[in-house]
Amino acid sequence: MKRVLITGGSRGIGAAIVRAFTEKGHRVAFLYHTNHAAATRVAAETGALPFSCDVSDPKALGAIWKDILFALGGAPEVLINNAGISDTRLSRDVDDATWRRLLDTNLSAAFYLSRMAQVPMIGEKWGRIVNVGSMWGKIGASMEVAYSTAKAGLRGLTMSLAKELGPSGITVNCVEPGVIDTDMNSCHDEATLAALAEETPLGRLGTPEDVAAAVLFLASSEAAFITGQCLGVDGGFAI
Ligand code: NDP
């Protein structure tokens, strides 16, 4: 049984990750932003402990950290940086505030939490950090410049932390989902989703459970010799 902290656990991929870890008997706390109803549902279903906090705000994370440790009964041994937001518009229309919000939420939050979580992990000489990137961070998405840039940054964060923290027994990896059937893609109409499924070599959209299985594996003892890797969970889309 490990103590696990998951960001963005109230919905979509994060909720599936919460389920995957609690089903294995781990003690799980998760962060979410404002959707209290969804967070309450996931907590009731899984027994995981919900905390409302804006992950893009380092002060808010610092303020809530002690409460998380108290609830978990110790520091997280596994950190899953999953919370994220997307934004679609031409690059020339991306204003400064949107650029910063996308970078802060999708990239800086993973850095802030990794910075906090690594200290007790180093003390224990064991830890797992898994970042949830995107295939768009690998191949770039038209009209998603801030999102793609943030997700590409997660690749650098993953590799750099893997080198720095490896000697302390901590692995750091990244999963890069393709098109997954969650609220994030509810902006697309059915025809667009069908076209995206057709463009995917495996011929379907991914499920949150597809991604959760990969995250669970990278956090497991079976993945002890894997670090600094970005694993595509995209049905072959980004080949
Ligand atoms: P959803 O929109 O379904 O859920 C997003 C989650 O992140 C929610 O739990 C939300 O909380 C939380 N969140 C958003 N902003 C903040 C914030 N500032 N502070 C705290 N929590 C926040 O997204 P998905 O499940 O689809 O995506 C999860 C991750 O997977 C993201 O990083 C995304 O970029 C990545 N991804 C998704 C893909 C897809 O096709 N769906 C493809 C590739 C990558 P609340 O419920 O309170 O709003």
Side-chain angles (χ1 to χ4, degrees), residues 7-15 17 30-36 38-39 51-57 81-86 101 104-106 109 132-136 147 151 154 175-185 206 208 211 233:
T7 68
S10 50
R11 291 185 286 123
I13 293 168
I17 298 171
F30 69 89
L31 302 181
Y32 68 101
H33 196 195
T34 53
N35 197 329
H36 306 298
F51 290 88
S52 171
C53 180
D54 181 354
V55 293
S56 70
D57 178 353
N81 290 307
N82 161 79
I85 50 171
S86 61
R101 195 165 56 89
D104 287 349
T105 307
N106 290 306
V132 179
S134 165
M135 67 174 175
W136 302 125
Y147 183 78
K151 295 299 190 182
L154 278 179
V175 295
E176 296 186 320
V179 187
I180 311 298
D181 190 10
T182 70
D183 294 346
M184 190 171 269
N185 287 313
V211 183
V233 187

Side-chain angles (χ1 to χ4, degrees), residues 94-117:
V94 176
D95 56 274
D96 297 353
T98 301
W99 175 263
R100 276 196 295 270
R101 195 165 56 89
L102 267 283
L103 270 287
D104 287 349
T105 307
N106 290 306
L107 175 58
S108 302
F111 168 67
Y112 301 142
L113 280 162
S114 300
R115 188 172 58 186
M116 290 195 285

Side-chain angles (χ1 to χ4, degrees), residues 80-163:
I80 313 297
N81 290 307
N82 161 79
I85 50 171
S86 61
D87 179 75
T88 308
R89 64 182 98 182
L90 291 171
S91 56
R92 67 178 180 219
D93 294 332
V94 176
D95 56 274
D96 297 353
T98 301
W99 175 263
R100 276 196 295 270
R101 195 165 56 89
L102 267 283
L103 270 287
D104 287 349
T105 307
N106 290 306
L107 175 58
S108 302
F111 168 67
Y112 301 142
L113 280 162
S114 300
R115 188 172 58 186
M116 290 195 285
Q118 67 175 258
V119 177
M121 288 179 184
I122 291 169
E124 291 301 315
K125 283 261 170 201
W126 198 95
R128 295 276 188 274
I129 299 174
V130 183
N131 299 315
V132 179
S134 165
M135 67 174 175
W136 302 125
K138 180 181 170 192
I139 59 175
S142 174
M143 295 184 64
E144 292 198 63
V145 66
Y147 183 78
S148 300
T149 302
K151 295 299 190 182
L154 278 179
R155 302 189 124 223
L157 182 78
T158 298
M159 292 185 285
S160 178
L161 288 181
K163 284 186 176 170

Side-chain angles (χ1 to χ4, degrees), residues 49-69:
L49 308 155
F51 290 88
S52 171
C53 180
D54 181 354
V55 293
S56 70
D57 178 353
K59 286 202 179 80
L61 288 170
I64 208 163
W65 189 245
K66 270 191 184 159
D67 294 343
I68 295 170
L69 265 54

